[in-house]
Structures are given as structure tokens and as C-alpha cells.
Amino acid sequence: MSWSFQQLLAPLSALLLLMSACGDDPEVRPVCGNGVVEAGETCDDGNRNNDDACDNSCRRPTPDDAGTGEDDAGTGEEDAGAGEDDAGTTEDAGTGEDDAGTTEDAGTGEDDAGTTEDAGTGEDAGTGEDDAGTAEDAGTGEDDAGTAEDGGSGEPDSGTDLDGGPGPDLDAGTDAGTGEDDAGTDAGTGDDAGTDAGTGEDDAGTDAGTGEDDAGTDAGTGEDDAGTDAGTGENDAGTDAGTVQVALDSFGPTGTFARSGTTGATFPEALTVRLREDAPAEVWVEVASSSAVLNVQGGLVRIAPGERSATVQVTANLSADPETDKATLTATLGSDTREATVRVLAVDQAAELSTLSPEVISVSAGQTQGFTVELDVPPAQDTVIQLALEPASLGTVPATVTVTANSLSAKFDFTAGSEGGEGQLVAALNGSSIAAEVQVSGGSSTGHVVISEIAPQGPSGANDEFIELYNPTSSPVDLSGWKVQYKSATGTAGYTGNYSLPDGSIIAARGYFLVGAGAYSGTGATARDANWGTTFAMAAGSGHVRIGYPELMGSDPIDSVLVVDTVGYGSTANQPEGNRIPASAPAAGSFERKASATSTVDSMTTGADALLGNGHDSNDNAADFIIRPTRQPQNTSSAAEP
């Protein structure tokens, strides 16, 4: 403070001393005013002692909380004496911190504020020391507040290059040894916006040795990282160096069997443990059993590197636990567990029939239906099961079916006959049997007249020809005016042979109608019903025959609605229904339509289908016809079939 300003303050101090007298009551009026500006005051308020009723208005407010380490109200600054900044001050009283709004500290042994000497004297009362405003403060010998040094600390004050306190760290940018976050650098802390001092690692990128998750890489911490975890054994979004986690996918199937006294895989299916991914290295899965009748050697199953599954080998021994013949196996890998049951069979345990499925069927004549017969337990040896139809006319099944050793079931086919009816399919084993209900819809499903037999030559020569028709429907059909046509095997000009059936040509339900050439040799019971004479002559080796409604023209295509049925025979026929009959008939033979899909040459000539009609039509000539070694023409006088 300049000397001129101190000289101005001297008379003002005296005036304030006179004005500071307090108390209105003469009897109790205290003696106020002592001419001294006491410590913590900015003027002489006349207050000698605390609580003496004298006004204490000259004491300046102290926004700093000295020495507490707590933030001061409304300052947003750090607290005096704790290495914290104080609010709005230059130096703090006695703390090494800036004090609030003063130049020097009043009454502390430091030079006093704003005066050259205290209370108008040259010396301070009773001290012998120069008063405030002099070069030295009373009794201390230390420079007062506002000087280069703070009273009593010997340390530069706040706002200087160094912080008054523990060390050489920078203040506004550095917090010396506090462990608190800084906008710049934190000495020895964990979290930093920039660099973590003492770690050498970038913080926002990598935390060195902390074990905390980082946006980049965690060095050796064992925590999950977005990048790579080095050698920790934990899963990473990228790659985990040194380990790959594997987990169980399945353990089964459940309900398999093992035979007492043996070691090996279960049956009829092998019990298998399966991983969700290929094993990165040798993996051992623990398998525990609920009963001594079944165990896994060592209680472990090995899955080889690069493999995903392994078969479980079990040892069965019924005598180890006579109270049970079943065990539950539990597979464990890490925290994953799966269970499967296994039944243990006696060495000589017999098998019995369990099911025959389906239990009920309804099929049309000629259709095939698959069946499955199943035993209650897998037999130790191949086991033969007897099969039969009741009545036999329902169709055909194999006489027996075999269930192989250590399996549970066998499959076979039933083929319905052309005769309708109801009955049973019976399976029998060791004196016991099970049955399935069978219903067959009799008759052909074909709803139109068909060409049933063709003889392009005969015993009497190349022109000893006939075309036989069959009516598989349940009603007679008037064939008057219908066309019987012929085309060569490779012809492209359409059907050149064209014969119209005479009026009154009637074919009975399930009956026949015979059309022959002029040279046809049949007589008596096999006489022709209509004679085409020499209208056309069929080639013995290959050609086409068709029938259709009266409006049918030779040029009409094969898919015309006027065409009722077409047959292409021989190896070169170019317009058959589906596939042509691939071969030629012998001179005395013929091409004959089947009674059912399963009909054969034998069944049609001398077997079960010989008298069951010719109603099978799948629109494929190769599948619908057989080649007879000897022909068998039938006419309107022949018996209805079936």
C-alpha cells in the first residue's frame, strides 16, 4: 500500500473509533473502542472482548473455511490448507493460501492492513514492535499478506508457479499427490482423460495392468475386451489367445439298450455326446451313472481334436444292482449337463411283438401300403416274424419278415388285390400275434373303356390280328360309331387306319368286346364282335392303336378330348401314352393290360390275376402292359371280370 493512502486512513481510523462506541443505556454502557484494529477486522470497531455488547461490524467475512479441506460455498474453488484453491482471494490467512480481498493479514503478527502504524502510535501497545503498515508485522518478523511470501509458511502462495504445500507439481494443471481426477495429468491414479501417469499406457485406448475393460486391448487382465484378451481364457469379441470355449450340444438318444456282460456302444442306436462346435483340442466330457448296472470307464468320454462328437462306450452288469435294470447317464462339460436313459437287458432276454403299424388302412385295388412291425426289446439274434392276410384275397404280403439282432423293427409292403373286401394283416411270433385292420376297395379305378389286349399277328400269319376292349366300369357302354385307329411306329401324318364300330356295339360292365381283322382266325367262343376287314394292317414289331368317340379324326393329336385310350408298342413307337411297350410280342403272343399295378406275366396268365380283368391304366404303356407268350382273346360272350 502506498504511504499517501496510509496517511489518509489514519484520520479515518480515529473517526471510526469515535463512531464505534456502542450501548444506549448509561448504567450499562460498555467501554468500546480501544484504538486497535484487531485480528480479522478491517477497522477499529471498539470491541475489546468477545460478547461484550460492542459492535463487531468491522470483522470481514471469511468465505474460506480455513484448514477444513471442504469446498467453500459458492466458490467452486478448492479449500484453503488442503491444497485446494480458496474463493476470490489472493492469500489465505495463515494457511499458505490466498486471503480474501486483503493485501495483508490483520493482527496475525503480520503487517497490519492499510496503516503505517497501529492506532496512531509509533508502536503497538505493549509490544515494542512496529505496528501494521510498517516493514515488519508486530512480533513476527515476517512479511505480511500480499508480499512475496505468506506469513508463516515460507511457501509461495496460490496463483504462483508452485502450490503451497506438498511438492513440485503444477497447480492448475496438476493435483499434487491427491489421487483426484485432473483435467490434465493425474499423478498415479487409475482413470484419466488423457494419459494414466505411471502406467505408460494411453487411458482411453488401453489400461495397463488394471484389469478393467478398455475400448482397445486389456493387457493380461483376464477381462473381456472388444479386441483381444491376451492369454486369459475368457471369451472375446475378437480372439482369445490360448483357449477356446466349447459347450455340449446334445447327449442321446435316450431310451437305448445295453446287454449285461458286454462293453460297447448302446443299441439299436449308439449313445453319442455331441459338441456345438469342433473340439479345438482334446476334450473330455464327464459321464456319471445313476446305477451300478451301467458305467462308463473312468467316467469320461474323449472327443478328439477337430471332432464334434464321440460314441459313449458303456459296460453293463445286471448283478451289480439287482433292484433295477435301468440307469440314467448324465454328461457334464463345464456348466452344461445332458441326460439319457439306458435299459440293461439280460444275456438271454427274449423279445416279444410290440406294435404293427399302421393299425388301420384303407386302400384301392392294386395299391401298395408299407407296414412296420416292432418288438419290445432288441433280440440277441435275428428273429423271424410270420405274416399272413385273412382272407388271402385282400392282396399279397411276404410270408415272413426278419428283425435283425440288436434292432427293434422291420419293414415290409402290402399290395392290395383287385377284389374288394375287409380283413386283417396278422404278424405272429412265438405263439403270440398282433393284427392291423385292412380295407380294400375292389375293382379298377379306371372310369373308361380301355384297350385290353393287342395281337398284331397270330398263329395263322401276319394278318391274324385283333384288338380287344374291356369295360372296367359298373355300367354298359354303347360303342356304336366309336373309332378304332392305327398308326405306324414312326408316322407323322396321323392315324391312317380308321374303322368305325357298327351300330348296336354294346360292351357290358366288366365285359369285353373283340374287334378283328379280316384274316383273324378265332372262332366259336373267341369269335370277333366286329370286323375291320382290310381297313388297316398292323405291323408286328412296332406301331400304335387307339380308340375314341365317333367324331375322332385321324389327324387329331394324342391329347384330344375325343381320344379315349392309346397304346404304342415296340421299340420305335413315337407317340405312346407315357412310355411305349419296349418289346415286340411273339408270333403267337400278345400285349395284355394288367389287372393291377403289381400284376406279372405269371399272375396274368396262370396266377391270381388271370380272371381279375384288365382295368389298370396309369397312362404309361410300359407300366400298364405285359407281354403274353400266348394270346387270349375275349369277346362279348366271355364272363365278366372280376
Side-chain angles (χ1 to χ4, degrees), residues 169-187:
D169 292 287
L170 299 178
D171 195 33
T174 307
D175 183 10
T178 64
E180 298 294 324
D181 293 340
D182 263 74
T185 305
D186 183 12

Side-chain angles (χ1 to χ4, degrees), residues 395-487:
T396 59
V397 292
T400 63
V401 65
T402 300
V403 178
T404 58
N406 290 337
S407 62
L408 275 174
S409 63
K411 298 181 181 296
F412 63 92
D413 288 336
F414 159 76
T415 301
S418 57
E419 182 178 338
E422 295 181 359
Q424 291 183 324
L425 170 59
V426 180
L429 175 65
N430 298 330
S432 64
S433 63
I434 53 177
E437 299 297 322
V438 177
Q439 181 179 16
V440 179
S441 301
S444 171
S445 59
T446 303
H448 59 81
V449 175
V450 296
I451 298 170
S452 56
E453 190 174 349
I454 303 168
Q457 60 182 334
S460 299
N463 293 324
D464 187 5
E465 305 166 348
F466 70 81
I467 299 172
E468 175 191 281
L469 308 181
Y470 174 69
N471 179 11
T473 72
S474 58
S475 302
V477 176
D478 185 355
L479 300 177
S480 300
W482 278 40
K483 300 294 178 59
V484 179
Q485 298 178 334
Y486 173 79
K487 184 183 89 68

Side-chain angles (χ1 to χ4, degrees), residues 490-513:
T490 59
T492 58
Y495 283 77
T496 57
N498 189 36
Y499 172 71
S500 295
L501 294 176
D503 290 345
S505 298
I506 304 296
I507 184 171
R510 312 287 197 277
Y512 294 90
F513 191 95

Side-chain angles (χ1 to χ4, degrees), residues 224-263:
D224 294 340
D225 278 4
T228 305
D229 184 11
T232 64
E234 298 292 328
N235 291 331
D236 278 353
T239 304
D240 185 13
T243 66
V244 175
Q245 297 296 319
V246 292
L248 283 178
D249 180 57
S250 63
F251 181 52
T254 192
T256 57
F257 298 85
R259 201 170 301 279
S260 184
T262 64
T263 296

Side-chain angles (χ1 to χ4, degrees), residues 41-180:
E41 295 179 347
T42 58
C43 65
D44 181 10
D45 61 356
N47 185 349
R48 293 180 177 177
N49 302 300
N50 290 331
D51 300 323
D52 60 359
C54 291
D55 185 28
N56 199 20
S57 61
C58 287
R59 181 176 298 277
R60 68 168 178 259
T62 57
D64 298 335
D65 184 8
T68 65
E70 299 292 326
D71 293 340
D72 269 336
T75 66
E77 299 290 330
E78 296 177 345
D79 190 11
E84 306 282 322
D85 294 338
D86 208 320
T89 67
T90 303
E91 295 182 338
D92 189 8
T95 64
E97 298 293 322
D98 295 338
D99 204 356
T102 66
T103 303
E104 296 181 357
D105 187 10
T108 63
E110 301 289 320
D111 293 338
D112 212 279
T115 64
T116 303
E117 295 182 353
D118 191 12
T121 67
E123 295 181 356
D124 189 4
T127 65
E129 296 290 329
D130 293 337
D131 202 36
T134 66
E136 295 183 354
D137 189 7
T140 66
E142 296 291 327
D143 293 337
D144 202 29
T147 66
E149 296 183 354
D150 188 9
S153 67
E155 296 290 330
D157 208 289
S158 64
T160 66
D161 289 341
L162 298 177
D163 185 9
D169 292 287
L170 299 178
D171 195 33
T174 307
D175 183 10
T178 64
E180 298 294 324

